Amino acid sequence: MTDIKSLTISELEFEMKSLALPSFRAKQIYKWLHVQGVMSFDGMLNLPKKLRESLKENYFIPSCDIEEKYVSALDGTVKYLFRLYDGEYIETVVMKYSYGYTICVSSQVGCKMGCTFCASTLAGFKRNLLPSELEGQIHCAQNDLGVRISHIVLMGIGEPLDNYGNVIKFLHTVNDKNGLNISMRDITVSTCGIVPRIYDLINEKIPVTLTLSLHAPDDKLRSAMMPVNEKWGVKEVVKACRAYAENTSRRVSFEYTLIKGVNDTPECAKKLAALLKGFISHVNLIPVNDVAERGNVKPSENAVKNFQFALKKLGINATIRRTLGSDINASCGQLRRIKNNNSQNGGDTSENSC
Ligand code: SAH
């Protein structure tokens, strides 16, 4: 069975031709799949029943069902645990800002990257998400909430550049005027720093915003926190980000998760400022979300502000990430982990998110 939702319009036209159907059927189906986001062939109301039956025999639409949903009483942030067609779980968060709704999508079921502070790796890597499953998170949330989502961040479970081909196909699909029509400029791809794929992304010539999860200003510290750094060190990855900024004229952002006593020292601020000197970039400071098994501690509010101030004094623009959905543990990784633990051990009490 072919995943019909991951086909481009020309691939779909080709498929319709092979079923001896006119190309306008492809356009109708494409609209149902990508504008309305229907999850069943029976929902394609302007198609003859016979055609719907024949589609069911040849294709499938990967499902995305709401397993759990949490709404923040503080700011309306919504967090979903979605169940996929093969029974795997992913997490997706929708946040409301003054400019519209932003969705944080997962790119993989689990993650291989092994960052020591992150919950996503703990439940293990299972598989890449299909382009249709990346997009399905948007349709499922939009249809549930009855709103239009205008911005996308690839900051959920998984490493987007480790699922490169499917992510690129997804970006083109959501950008398509005959689909969700979301501007590339309103999409952010966050990476732990897979350097060759950053250069590939430059060659795609699509103006998405790139965010690097930097978290440490030197190799010793970064390698201890992020195994990917053993392969591509701090200087190499920042060089790739500079190339991204120069080639796309897009400002690159750096995520810096602050962990008490680990990377929040004045020495770290100094090294970070030296590393990013002369780079028109932006640093997002995120006090770490404690993950029970990880044992990392959030610095005090004052310590976070001191770090920000130290960077500003050295000419580096930094903001402290506003926490949304703090009452529903909105950052990713923990719901899937709890769900998996529950099905394995019949119960889990661990709290805290990535
Ligand atoms: N793999 C991608 C995207 C997913 S993680 C990446 O590394 O960028 C999204 C962001 O959340 C990353 O910056 C990641 O480092 C950060 N993050 C993960 N666990 C966290 C935690 N416990 N506290 C704060 N931020 C965390």
Side-chain angles (χ1 to χ4, degrees):
M1 292 275 254
T2 304
D3 164 15
I4 194 168
K5 193 167 167 170
S6 288
L7 300 177
T8 62
I9 184 70
S10 28
E11 286 166 343
L12 194 54
E13 276 167 352
F14 182 81
E15 293 281 326
M16 292 304 106
K17 214 169 165 187
S18 66
L19 294 175
L21 289 163
S23 75
F24 80 89
R25 290 294 184 206
K27 291 199 175 70
Q28 282 179 319
I29 296 167
Y30 192 85
K31 211 168 157 194
W32 281 117
L33 290 170
H34 299 285
V35 180
Q36 277 87 8
V38 295
M39 291 294 181
S40 76
F41 292 108
D42 288 329
M44 301 183 176
L45 301 174
N46 59 357
L47 299 189
K49 191 154 187 283
K50 215 172 134 211
L51 171 55
R52 281 187 255 148
E53 293 309 318
S54 122
L55 290 175
K56 278 183 215 170
E57 280 163 24
N58 294 286
Y59 307 97
F60 81 111
I61 307 169
S63 59
C64 179
D65 295 311
I66 301 173
E67 178 77 8
E68 291 171 18
K69 175 183 173 183
Y70 301 89
V71 183
S72 164
L74 301 174
D75 50 48
T77 296
V78 182
K79 181 165 188 172
Y80 294 100
L81 180 71
F82 287 131
R83 193 180 59 257
L84 304 176
Y85 74 92
D86 56 355
E88 293 294 344
Y89 297 104
I90 51 164
E91 295 170 39
T92 306
V93 179
V94 179
M95 296 151 289
K96 190 176 178 190
Y97 291 98
S98 54
Y99 50 79
Y101 287 89
T102 295
I103 192 164
C104 174
V105 300
S106 292
S107 55
Q108 296 178 311
V109 181
C111 187
K112 298 177 208 159
M113 298 298 132
C115 300
T116 57
F117 46 86
C118 182
S120 296
T121 324
L122 288 170
F125 174 81
K126 279 287 164 55
R127 66 174 176 86
N128 283 328
L129 291 187
L130 301 163
S132 56
E133 292 177 311
L134 279 140
E135 195 191 8
Q137 298 170 64
I138 306 174
H139 287 132
C140 208
Q142 278 196 164
N143 292 344
D144 178 55
L145 299 172
V147 299
R148 177 179 183 265
I149 289 166
S150 54
H151 292 67
I152 304 170
V153 295
L154 282 120
M155 284 192 185
I157 297 173
E159 166 51 45
L161 299 189
D162 187 42
N163 183 14
Y164 189 81
N166 288 350
V167 164
I168 297 297
K169 200 166 190 188
F170 158 75
L171 296 177
H172 286 293
T173 307
V174 293
N175 179 239
D176 186 352
K177 290 200 168 35
N178 297 309
L180 287 170
N181 193 16
I182 296 176
S183 163
M184 289 286 189
R185 291 175 183 276
D186 294 333
I187 302 176
T188 298
V189 175
S190 180
T191 180
C192 62
I194 301 183
V195 166
R197 297 288 89 75
I198 295 177
Y199 288 106
D200 288 344
L201 196 59
I202 293 172
N203 291 330
E204 302 289 343
K205 307 224 176 307
I206 48 175
V208 291
T209 299
L210 180 70
T211 291
L212 177 74
S213 296
L214 184 58
H215 305 317
D218 64 41
D219 282 330
K220 191 162 174 248
L221 190 53
R222 194 165 189 265
S223 292
M225 296 166 72
M226 304 175 73
V228 69
N229 196 73
E230 302 276 3
K231 204 149 184 191
W232 299 287
V234 166
K235 291 226 163 72
E236 209 179 341
V237 76
V238 170
K239 188 175 162 205
C241 291
R242 281 185 197 265
Y244 190 87
E246 277 158 20
N247 282 278
T248 60
S249 305
R250 307 284 295 155
R251 189 176 69 169
V252 174
S253 290
F254 293 93
E255 304 282 298
Y256 195 97
T257 293
L258 283 162
I259 305 171
K260 188 177 173 183
V262 175
N263 63 354
D264 65 342
T265 59
E267 186 58 23
C268 281
K270 242 192 241 165
K271 282 188 180 170
L272 182 57
L275 184 68
L276 302 182
K277 199 165 174 239
F279 190 164
I280 304 166
S281 58
H282 184 87
V283 177
N284 270 319
L285 299 173
I286 317 156
V288 71
N289 284 311
D290 318 340
V291 176
E293 292 91 326
R294 301 303 206 186
N296 291 314
V297 180
K298 213 188 272 262
S300 69
E301 233 175 86
N302 255 347
V304 175
K305 280 192 184 142
N306 286 344
F307 195 86
Q308 180 192 28
F309 187 66
L311 286 179
K312 277 202 172 150
K313 260 192 11 201
L314 295 165
I316 301 294
N317 193 3
T319 46
I320 301 169
R321 162 84 56 85
R322 189 158 67 101
T323 313
L324 287 176
S326 55
D327 55 333
I328 55 164
N329 263 331
S331 43
C332 276
Q334 68 141 5
L335 287 184
R336 171 174 177 258
R337 189 164 52 106
I338 292 172
K339 194 82 194 167
N340 285 354
N341 282 353
N342 275 346
S343 41
Q344 276 158 23
N345 328 329
D348 177 76
T349 51
S350 56
E351 2 126 46
N352 298 326
S353 65
C354 71

